[in-house]
Amino acid sequence: MTAPAETRKFEAEVAQVLHLVTHSLYSHKEIFLRELISNASDACDKLRFESIAKPELMAGDSELHIDVSWDPQARTVTIRDNGVGMNRDEVVANIGTIASSGTKRFLEAMSGEQKADARLIGQFGVGFYSAFVVADKVTVLSRRAGAPASDGVKWESDGKGEYSLEQVEQAERGTSVILHLKADEDEFLKRWQLRSLITKYSDHVAFPIRMPTEKDGKPTDEFETINAASALWTKPKSEISDADYQSFYKSLGHDFNDALAWTHNRVEGSQSFTTLLYIPSQPPFDLMMGGRDERKGLKLYIKRVFIMDAAEELLPNYLRFVRGVVDADDLPLNVSREILQQNRQLERIKSACVKRVLDLIEKLAKDEPEKFATFYKAFGNTLKEGISEDANNRERIAKLLRFASTKGEGSAQTVSFDDYIGRMPVGQDTIWFITADSYAAALGSPQLEAFKAKGIEVLLMSDRIDEWMLGSLSEYGGKKLQNVAKGELPLDEADKKKQEESAKEAEPLVKKLKGLLGDRVGDVRVSARLTDSPSCLALADYEMAPHLARLLREAGHDMPDNKPTLEINPQHALLKRVEAEADEAKAKDLATLLLEQAEIAAGAQLPDPSAFVQRMNRVLLG
C-alpha cells in the first residue's frame, strides 16, 4: 500500500525564512545553484560514509556524481545526485523544518572515533530554500539508499506556506531538485551560464558535476564532467608540482604573472583546516586605493565548497595582497552562509594564516634575497601598516622592514634594524633615523651633519607611511628609536661643555633673532646638530614632521599651527652677517631667510612663497 498524497503547512519559522530568502537573504541570486549542489555533495558524502559499514547501499552504482540539467521548453533546472536520498519522514524533517539539511542530525548520530571519519561531511543551514529566489515552484523527488523503488517521495511547493507530499515510484536512489523558474529568470536556462556558475562556486566539490552536452542549442542525453572534482589544496604537497601551483594561482587570482611564493599547510586537531596562500610578484593597481575597501584576496571554502571572498575575516588589512584559499572542515555561519560569525575558531584560522604568511616572508628574506627584494619593492609599504594594526606581531614585522641608510648602498632600501644594531658602536643605545619626503631630502638634511661628523649611522626614511608607522614603533630589539630632528641630542661631557659655551656666547645673537622673527618661531637656540649649515628646524618629541603635515593639509586635513623651533650655527658666515647687520630691515630679511631655508629643507610649506622670492632678491641685490 502507498500513503495517499497530502498537503501540509510549513512550520511557522519556515514560512518566515522563505519570506526572508526570497526578499533579502541572498545578495546574489545565482547562489541557489551553489546551495543545491552543496546539499547534493552532502548527500554523496553521507552515502560514501554509510557504505563503509553497508556496501550494499551502493547497489551497483558506486560512481557518485551530481547532474545539472535544464529544459528550455519546460523552463526547469534540475539538480540530481545519486547520494543517500531521503525517505518520507526525512523529507518532512529536512525540508519542512527550519535550518536542517539532515547533516546536523547525521553528525549528532556519530560518536567517538566515527565522528573523525565523518570529517568530510558538511553542515549547512537553510540553503535549500534559496531555490525560491529564482523558482515559483520546486519539486523534490527522492529515494533513500537501500529502500525499494516504490518508496520514492515527491515533495512540491510554491513556497507560500504549504507543501504536498506523495509516495511515488522512483527507480534510482538519490534526490532530484526541479526548479520551475520564474518568468524573468531566463538566464538560468542557458548552458554557458549554468556552467560558469558551477565553475565559479563548485569547481572543487570532490564529486563530478556533470551537464548534458548541447547540440543545435538543445541539451542531449550525453553528459560531460565540467568541474575539477579534486581540490588542489587537498592533495599531498608531494603530488603537486610547481607548475600545478602556478596554474592554480593564475586561475584563482586572475593574474597573468606567476606567483612569487606560496605556502601550503594542513592543520589537524579539534578544528582542522587547510591553507594555500600566495604572494603575488607585483601588486594589483588598486592595492593602495580601492584595495582597502574591496578586498578579495582569500576565498573561504568549507568541505571544498566555495562560501565567500572572506579576506577581511581571514587576514588583517596589511596582508591584503595575499591570494589563496582557506578550506575549513567546519565553521559556524549565519543563516545566509555569506557572513561568518566572529568566533574563536575563526580567530584561530586567522592567526594561523598570519603566521604562515610572515613565516613565508621571513624565509624569502633569509634564503631568497632577490625574491625578497621583489616582494619588498611591491609590498613593503603595505607591510608597514601592520606595525600599527597588529601589535601581537609588531616585532616580527619590524624585523622584515628595510630602509636606506647613511651607511647603505645609495637609495636602495636594504638595511634592516638588525643590520643597524649589528653596526652600532659600543655605548650607543639608540637607533637614529630621519623622515623626509624623498631620499635626497633625507640624505641632504642639515639635521644629519653632527651624526655624519661623528660617524653615527642614520636610517633614511622617505616613504609617506614612515612617519605614521613610527607613531606605533618606539623601540626595536630593546633599542629606542629616535628621530634626529626631535628633542635634545645626547652629548658626552666634552660636547656638552662646548655646547654650553657656544650658547652663552651666542646669547645676544639669539635674542636679536627672536626679536626679528617674532611670532614666526616658537624658540631660537644654538644647535648641536649643525656643523656646515646655518640653520635647521628642531621638533618636539610629539610634533609631526613638517613634510607629513604639509601632505595632510593638501589632503584637506586640519593641522595644528605649531610654531617651529629654529636652531642656528653661530659660527656660520650668514649668522655672523645677521649679527653685524645694523639695518633692521636687512637683518629681518636675513633672519627670515634663515628660517625659510630651514623650513624648505625640512619639507614644510612656506606660508608666502612670493614674499620669499622678493626677500631673496633683495638680499642678492643688497
Side-chain angles (χ1 to χ4, degrees):
M1 293 181 64
T2 61
E6 61 175 307
T7 300
R8 297 188 179 190
K9 288 187 177 295
F10 283 115
E11 289 186 357
E13 296 91 339
V14 175
Q16 293 171 359
V17 167
L18 281 168
H19 179 81
L20 179 66
V21 166
T22 54
H23 290 87
S24 59
L25 182 59
Y26 288 93
S27 56
H28 303 291
K29 59 187 176 182
E30 74 257 18
I31 288 175
F32 80 89
L33 193 58
R34 179 190 78 185
E35 297 294 330
L36 296 178
I37 289 175
S38 174
N39 287 346
S41 176
D42 286 352
C44 292
D45 264 326
K46 287 182 191 177
L47 180 58
R48 187 166 61 182
F49 184 83
E50 288 189 12
S51 67
I52 296 172
K54 299 179 180 178
E56 65 273 13
L57 292 178
M58 288 292 191
D61 185 11
S62 60
E63 298 296 324
L64 297 170
H65 55 80
I66 301 161
D67 292 346
V68 178
S69 56
W70 74 104
D71 186 331
Q73 277 69 47
R75 294 184 49 74
T76 60
V77 172
T78 301
I79 295 90
R80 164 155 183 78
D81 67 76
N82 61 344
V84 72
M86 295 177 284
N87 59 32
R88 186 186 182 93
D89 291 341
E90 288 171 326
V91 168
V92 172
N94 295 337
I95 301 179
T97 306
I98 181 66
S100 174
S101 63
T103 310
K104 183 176 180 181
R105 296 182 185 185
F106 176 79
L107 279 177
E108 287 173 352
M110 301 295 102
S111 61
E113 294 181 4
Q114 278 186 305
K115 185 166 286 189
D117 293 334
R119 65 184 181 276
L120 295 177
I121 299 163
Q123 178 180 336
F124 303 126
V126 296
F128 170 79
Y129 302 119
S130 66
F132 289 100
V133 174
V134 296
D136 52 22
K137 184 172 75 171
V138 177
T139 304
V140 177
L141 300 170
S142 192
R143 175 169 72 80
R144 192 69 161 78
S150 59
D151 279 1
V153 183
K154 179 181 179 182
W155 177 101
E156 197 165 72
S157 176
D158 60 6
K160 294 178 180 176
E162 295 181 339
Y163 62 90
S164 66
L165 272 176
E166 185 178 353
Q167 188 168 340
V168 296
E169 192 80 13
Q170 177 96 341
E172 299 174 326
R173 69 158 192 264
T175 301
S176 297
V177 180
I178 305 163
L179 311 183
H180 304 263
L181 297 184
K182 295 175 182 176
D184 55 349
E185 303 296 350
D186 287 0
E187 63 180 297
F188 301 113
L189 292 172
K190 297 180 175 66
R191 186 180 194 273
W192 66 268
Q193 172 73 339
L194 294 172
R195 178 169 184 156
S196 68
L197 292 176
I198 292 168
T199 300
K200 177 179 180 180
Y201 289 114
S202 306
D203 197 42
H204 298 285
V205 167
F207 303 100
I209 301 174
R210 312 187 313 179
M211 287 188 74
T213 57
E214 199 171 41
K215 187 175 182 181
D216 299 328
K218 296 180 180 179
T220 69
D221 295 331
E222 188 178 322
F223 282 79
E224 66 170 340
T225 299
I226 58 170
N227 68 320
S230 176
L232 177 117
W233 60 86
T234 63
K235 296 179 180 178
K237 287 189 276 189
S238 58
E239 296 179 11
I240 309 174
S241 68
D242 285 357
D244 291 334
Y245 278 119
Q246 293 288 14
S247 176
F248 179 69
Y249 165 75
K250 289 174 182 176
S251 67
L252 178 77
H254 304 289
D255 195 341
F256 292 105
N257 302 297
D258 282 347
L260 186 68
W262 60 85
T263 176
H264 184 188
N265 301 94
R266 172 73 180 170
V267 176
E268 299 282 2
S270 57
Q271 181 193 8
S272 299
F273 57 92
T274 300
T275 59
L276 174 53
L277 309 173
Y278 290 90
I279 294 176
S281 56
Q282 61 185 40
F285 74 94
D286 62 344
L287 181 70
M288 302 304 289
M289 298 179 292
R292 287 188 69 93
D293 302 319
E294 187 176 354
R295 295 167 53 202
K296 294 184 178 179
L298 291 189
K299 296 181 182 296
L300 174 66
Y301 289 76
I302 295 181
K303 311 294 188 303
R304 301 165 307 282
V305 178
F306 175 65
I307 302 300
M308 65 188 293
D309 291 308
E312 291 87 347
E313 290 80 8
L314 297 171
L315 275 178
N317 193 53
Y318 73 94
L319 295 178
R320 62 186 177 274
F321 52 84
V322 175
R323 299 288 181 262
V325 299
V326 173
D327 190 347
D329 282 0
D330 187 27
L331 273 179
L333 301 159
N334 76 347
V335 71
S336 74
R337 189 141 65 100
E338 290 192 306
I339 303 172
L340 286 164
Q341 297 168 354
Q342 292 298 321
N343 59 82
R344 290 182 190 173
Q345 290 171 288
L346 191 63
E347 283 302 312
R348 181 170 177 243
I349 293 176
K350 186 173 184 176
S351 296
C353 288
V354 172
K355 180 181 184 302
R356 294 301 180 192
V357 173
L358 294 180
D359 285 348
L360 180 58
I361 299 171
E362 287 172 355
K363 187 174 185 298
L364 290 180
K366 180 182 177 183
D367 301 333
E368 300 184 79
E370 288 186 9
K371 281 190 175 183
F372 179 78
T374 300
F375 160 79
Y376 198 79
K377 183 178 180 181
F379 305 112
N381 280 352
T382 317
L383 189 67
K384 288 176 183 176
E385 296 173 19
I387 295 294
S388 174
E389 293 177 7
D390 189 354
N392 291 333
N393 289 297
R394 185 170 292 153
E395 192 86 0
R396 287 191 74 182
I397 298 166
K399 189 180 184 71
L400 293 167
L401 302 183
R402 300 292 186 267
F403 307 97
S405 162
T406 53
K407 292 189 177 179
E409 302 168 3
S411 62
Q413 296 183 350
T414 57
V415 179
S416 68
F417 286 129
D418 288 335
D419 294 334
Y420 184 101
I421 291 171
R423 291 196 286 260
M424 273 185 176
V426 176
Q428 183 180 339
D429 60 358
T430 301
I431 298 172
W432 293 99
F433 67 88
I434 187 170
T435 61
D437 55 6
S438 70
Y439 167 75
L443 183 64
S445 173
Q447 292 151 335
L448 294 182
E449 290 175 0
F451 292 87
K452 290 178 180 176
K454 293 177 178 292
I456 298 174
E457 182 174 9
V458 178
L459 297 176
L460 308 174
M461 302 186 182
S462 56
D463 291 323
R464 289 187 176 188
I465 194 174
D466 289 336
E467 182 82 17
W468 174 80
M469 171 194 75
L470 290 160
S472 301
L473 188 67
S474 58
E475 66 171 50
Y476 175 83
K479 308 292 184 183
K480 179 185 175 185
L481 270 71
Q482 177 72 37
N483 190 327
V484 298
K486 293 187 176 182
E488 299 282 349
L489 293 192
L491 302 172
D492 58 30
E493 286 304 315
D495 285 337
K496 191 179 293 184
K497 187 175 180 182
K498 185 178 177 182
Q499 174 72 7
E500 288 171 356
E501 290 174 354
S502 179
K504 187 171 181 63
E505 188 178 322
E507 280 178 359
L509 174 60
V510 168
K511 185 177 180 181
K512 183 176 183 178
L513 285 167
K514 286 182 178 179
L516 292 168
L517 293 170
D519 61 4
R520 283 285 301 270
V521 294
D523 194 15
V524 178
R525 66 189 183 212
V526 174
S527 179
R529 293 174 171 85
L530 299 174
T531 59
D532 301 318
S533 298
S535 62
C536 71
L537 295 187
L539 307 175
D541 287 335
Y542 60 84
E543 201 172 342
M544 185 180 294
H547 71 275
L548 183 60
R550 186 193 80 237
L551 290 171
L552 290 173
R553 283 194 189 96
E554 290 171 354
H557 296 277
D558 290 328
M559 302 302 299
D561 190 17
N562 292 325
K563 293 180 180 178
T565 295
L566 180 67
E567 289 194 348
I568 60 167
N569 176 6
Q571 307 308 314
H572 195 280
L574 278 176
L575 273 301
K576 298 288 186 185
R577 185 174 168 186
V578 173
E579 192 173 23
E581 182 59 66
D583 185 315
E584 186 169 344
K586 290 183 178 179
K588 186 166 186 175
D589 277 347
L590 284 168
T592 307
L593 284 174
L594 284 170
L595 172 63
E596 288 174 335
Q597 66 175 238
E599 289 175 328
I600 291 170
Q605 187 172 16
L606 294 181
D608 189 347
S610 64
F612 165 76
V613 172
Q614 293 169 18
R615 198 162 20 251
M616 178 69 74
N617 290 340
R618 286 197 299 270
V619 170
L620 290 172
L621 292 170

